[in-house]
Amino acid sequence: MVVLLASVFLGGCSLMPKKSAIEISSYPIAKVYLNGKEVGTTPYKDTNLEPGEIEVKLMSGDKLWTRKIKLQNNVSTVIDWGF
């Protein structure tokens, strides 16, 4: 039994859920949209995202910035944008 448990933990298998994070800042302050949904303004931080591709959109007045970002497991992606 001990060997089985040791192989699970030492073999790289994880029972922990997959999580990703994103931190966004901009100048001037902008509205933040993730996958088309408004989630707040900059500075913005979310540490409870699923790994995978998301669309990030920043809107400040009449200025727009948008990109598709691939979030990695256990990695915090940082965006610092100046309009």
Side-chain angles (χ1 to χ4, degrees):
M1 182 68 149
V2 173
V3 174
L4 179 61
L5 287 175
S7 67
V8 169
F9 289 109
L10 298 177
C13 295
S14 176
L15 301 176
M16 301 295 289
K18 294 184 176 186
K19 298 285 180 173
S20 296
I22 193 164
E23 299 177 50
I24 305 171
S25 60
S26 70
Y27 181 82
I29 293 172
K31 290 182 182 179
V32 178
Y33 297 82
L34 299 182
N35 292 326
K37 178 182 176 188
E38 185 177 346
V39 293
T41 59
T42 57
Y44 176 80
K45 183 176 183 178
D46 189 342
T47 59
N48 197 27
L49 295 170
E50 297 272 332
E53 188 173 90
I54 63 168
E55 181 184 38
V56 178
K57 181 167 46 171
L58 303 177
M59 291 185 68
S60 181
D62 62 346
K63 296 178 178 152
L64 172 67
W65 179 87
T66 185
R67 293 289 188 280
K68 290 195 178 201
I69 306 290
K70 186 170 183 179
L71 300 176
Q72 302 292 325
N73 189 37
N74 294 322
V75 174
S76 182
T77 301
V78 177
I79 298 170
D80 183 20
W81 187 255
F83 285 97

